[in-house]
Amino acid sequence: RINYHVNNATQKLAMVTGLTMDASYSPKPCDVNTVSRWEVTDDDQAACEGAETLDAATRTLFADMLTYEVTNNAFIVDVRLYDKFAGTFNADLSNDLCDAADQSKFGFHIWANGQCYKHVHKEEYNVYFVKGGIDDIQYISNGML
């Protein structure tokens, strides 16, 4: 879904929301040297931690990253899993900090800092300046994302 605000007849700010992810979505949160985006949700700790099955090491990894990430955004947080933290790599170059069973998971919830965070699409809540008409916003929706 593309939400947009009209500044005047030819200039708009478009915010991207409601993007979905499927098994082909990339990058996954456990992929090294990539940024993953996390949305703050209203879920309580029990609902947050019970939403998916994750290994304790994976939960701790992302809880630590979300806790120590410096941000001034109360709604979303972007974190990067750097390869220097991984120590060693498996033969397939996957990160060894996430449990092997969690390597391909996405869209999961993490409890950190007394808040619930949900992994969302990397473009979720991006804002674009669109100079032109509604056709340009449709292009963003259909062509770019």
Side-chain angles (χ1 to χ4, degrees):
R1 181 174 86 212
I2 303 289
N3 293 319
Y4 64 93
H5 172 74
V6 177
N7 294 337
N8 63 42
T10 60
Q11 297 178 346
K12 297 164 183 65
L13 292 177
M15 180 176 70
V16 180
T17 60
L19 297 174
T20 60
M21 300 179 289
D22 62 18
S24 66
Y25 176 78
S26 182
K28 306 286 193 285
C30 288
D31 292 346
V32 294
N33 288 325
T34 60
V35 174
S36 58
R37 178 159 287 178
W38 298 82
E39 174 184 28
V40 177
T41 73
D42 293 331
D43 295 336
D44 63 20
Q45 186 172 3
C48 187
E49 292 179 339
E52 301 88 13
T53 303
L54 289 175
D55 183 78
T58 304
R59 282 198 185 280
T60 299
L61 170 68
F62 286 101
D64 287 349
M65 287 195 304
L66 289 162
T67 296
Y68 296 111
E69 181 63 32
V70 177
T71 183
N72 60 358
N73 191 322
F75 305 103
I76 58 170
V77 178
D78 290 339
V79 298
R80 179 183 296 270
L81 181 59
Y82 289 99
D83 63 356
K84 69 179 180 179
F85 299 121
T88 60
F89 289 91
N90 301 322
D92 63 357
L93 298 180
S94 62
N95 164 18
D96 66 344
L97 289 176
C98 286
D99 185 82
D102 298 332
Q103 290 288 331
S104 62
K105 292 182 179 177
F106 58 93
F108 52 84
H109 294 73
I110 298 291
W111 184 262
N113 289 327
Q115 294 180 300
C116 185
Y117 297 84
K118 180 183 180 187
H119 173 245
V120 295
H121 192 284
K122 64 185 177 184
E123 303 289 338
E124 188 77 4
Y125 299 112
N126 276 7
V127 175
Y128 298 93
F129 176 73
V130 181
K131 191 172 183 176
I134 192 71
D135 292 340
D136 293 334
I137 293 175
Q138 291 298 332
Y139 171 75
I140 291 173
S141 176
N142 298 325
M144 291 178 56
L145 304 176

